[in-house]
Amino acid sequence: MGSAAASKLRPVGRLAPSPTGRLHVGHARTFLLAWWHARSRGGRIVLRLEDLDTTRVKPGSVESTLADLTWLGLDWDGEVLLQSADTLAMESACAGLLASGQAYPCVCTRGEIRALSAPHAGEEEPRYPGTCRGRFRSLEEARAATGRDPALRLRVADGPVRIEDGFAAARDFDVAGDVGDFVLRRRDGAFAYQLAVAVDDARQGVNEVLRGDDLYSSAARQWHVQEHLGLPHPRWWHVPLVLDGTGERLAKRRDSLSLESLRLSGADPRALVAWAARSAHLPCWPRATPQELLGGFDLARLPREPVRFTDQDAAALAAAR
Ligand code: GLU
C-alpha cells in the first residue's frame, strides 16, 4: 500500500546493494533506474550497504561495490550507511515488538519446520506453522526451557494485503497463509533482511523504493513490519530483471559480466549507461553519463518484460574503450 502522503514529499530513493559478490549489469541497470527516478524529480538518493548476513558477505565486496557505483557515474547524498555498523534501531525495534507481544521467540530449526510444512509454490522457505506462538514469555525462558538460542518471529495478521506499485500491477499477498510468522532476528543473532530494510529505510528517510521485481513479495513482508512498528510505507516500484541471452537471470557468480571486471579492464562505463538507457527505451546516444540522460528520463517508457543482455551486448561493452 503506497502512502498517499509520501507522494507529496520530496522523493528520497535509495541504492541498497548487498556486498555478497560482484555487481553485474543487471544491478547497474536497476541502480541507474532508481537514481534517474529520484534525481529527475529533484529527489535525494541515499546509499546503504546491506551487509548483515555475515555468512554471505564476501571480503572486498564493500570496496568493490563503492568503486563500481562511482565508476558508473552514480552519486548519493549524505553518509554511506553500512548496515552492520549501527544496529541499535533494529535492536530496539525487536525489543519493542517482543515486549508488546507482536513478536515471539521461536526455537524451531529449519529441519523441524521443513518436516512440518510443505513449501509453497514460488516461496523458497516453507510456511512457518506457528509452533512457538504463545509458547514462551521471553527469550530467556525459551533458552532455559530448550537449551537453544531462539529466533524472533513477527506475529503476522491473517488476511491479504494489497501492495500498490508505481510500475507493476498491484498485487494481493497473503503473508500469513504463504509464509506465516516470519523471522525478524535469526537464531544466530543476525537481524533478518525484512526487519533491517523496514527499520533502515525509515531511519534514512526513504519514501520511494525502486528495485528488482524479484523483491515484490518481500514488499508485503516489509509492509507488515512497518505496520507493526508504526513506520510509514514507502512507495514501491518493482521493475523487471535483466536476463542473459538464454533467458537465465544474471547471477553474481558470473564474473565475466561483473562491473568489476569491466571496470578493471578499462571499459567505458558510459557505454553501459547507454545500454541501460536503450533497454529502458530512453532517448540516448552511444555513450553517456547518468547525469546527461536525466532530462529524458521517463519511467513510463520502461518495457514491462525482462530485458535481455546478450553475448553481443557483453562483447560490445568489453570493447568500448
Ligand atoms: N540488498 C538487497 C539486494 O541486493 C536489495 C534490498 C532492497 O532493495 O530492498 O538484493
Side-chain angles (χ1 to χ4, degrees):
M1 236 177 262
S3 138
S7 60
K8 296 194 196 81
L9 302 174
R10 180 178 180 199
V12 182
R14 40 79 149 183
L15 312 173
S18 299
T20 53
R22 297 194 170 91
L23 297 180
H24 53 59
V25 295
H27 297 109
R29 179 180 190 262
T30 306
F31 291 147
L32 281 162
L33 292 173
W35 190 91
W36 280 324
H37 186 54
R39 287 270 192 254
S40 65
R41 289 148 55 242
R44 284 166 49 80
I45 193 127
V46 295
L47 174 61
R48 179 171 75 235
L49 294 162
E50 302 205 316
D51 65 337
L52 287 180
D53 189 348
T54 48
T55 57
R56 292 179 58 228
V57 169
K58 300 264 183 332
S61 269
V62 165
E63 293 76 15
S64 69
T65 297
L66 291 172
D68 288 344
L69 296 174
T70 306
W71 172 77
L72 204 54
L74 297 180
D75 62 1
W76 45 88
D77 299 300
E79 298 283 308
V80 177
L81 180 63
L82 186 64
Q83 213 163 29
S84 65
D86 185 0
T87 53
L88 219 60
M90 294 170 216
E91 195 84 55
S92 76
C94 283
L97 293 173
L98 184 62
S100 63
Q102 297 176 83
Y104 60 87
C106 166
V107 293
C108 297
T109 63
R110 275 168 182 265
E112 286 166 346
I113 298 168
R114 216 165 275 133
L116 282 174
S117 23
H120 276 54
E123 288 292 340
E124 63 289 359
E125 292 282 325
R127 176 180 179 278
Y128 182 63
T131 318
C132 287
R133 236 197 209 216
R135 221 176 133 196
F136 311 107
R137 269 168 313 196
S138 66
L139 296 169
E140 294 70 34
E141 186 186 313
R143 204 172 279 124
T146 64
R148 293 180 179 178
D149 286 326
L152 189 68
R153 287 184 182 271
L154 187 71
R155 203 180 265 271
V156 178
D158 286 335
V161 168
R162 168 151 300 191
I163 302 294
E164 307 283 348
D165 194 283
F167 182 76
R171 270 166 66 180
D172 293 329
F173 291 95
D174 180 1
V175 175
D178 293 340
V179 182
D181 296 340
F182 57 87
V183 171
L184 300 174
R185 190 169 192 176
R186 297 189 329 209
R187 297 186 56 208
D188 66 3
F191 294 101
Y193 159 69
Q194 308 295 354
L195 173 85
V197 165
V199 168
D200 277 347
D201 274 344
R203 202 150 74 104
Q204 290 186 287
V206 169
N207 54 28
E208 301 198 343
V209 172
L210 186 151
R211 61 186 175 189
D213 61 10
D214 55 327
L215 290 171
Y216 201 162
S217 66
S218 282
R221 275 172 263 182
Q222 288 154 23
W223 186 94
H224 279 281
V225 176
Q226 287 150 358
E227 273 302 279
H228 279 276
L229 290 173
L231 300 174
H233 304 296
R235 288 195 71 196
W236 283 288
W237 285 260
H238 290 95
V239 300
L241 297 178
V242 178
L243 307 179
D244 68 16
T246 66
E248 293 287 318
R249 262 175 73 168
L250 297 186
K252 278 186 175 167
R253 298 184 291 285
R254 279 196 63 185
D255 288 351
S256 57
L257 299 179
S258 76
L259 303 191
E260 186 177 53
S261 64
L262 286 167
R263 172 165 58 80
L264 296 179
S265 72
D268 186 342
R270 297 173 309 152
L272 173 53
V273 172
W275 171 82
R278 278 197 305 280
S279 78
H281 293 180
L282 299 174
C284 104
W285 39 97
R287 297 186 189 199
T289 64
Q291 185 76 35
E292 286 165 346
L293 299 179
L294 268 182
F297 183 72
D298 180 2
L299 196 63
R301 300 172 75 123
L302 193 74
R304 311 247 138 212
E305 314 74 50
V307 163
R308 294 294 177 107
F309 183 79
T310 63
D311 289 347
Q312 289 94 306
D313 293 323
L317 279 196
R321 301 282 136 160

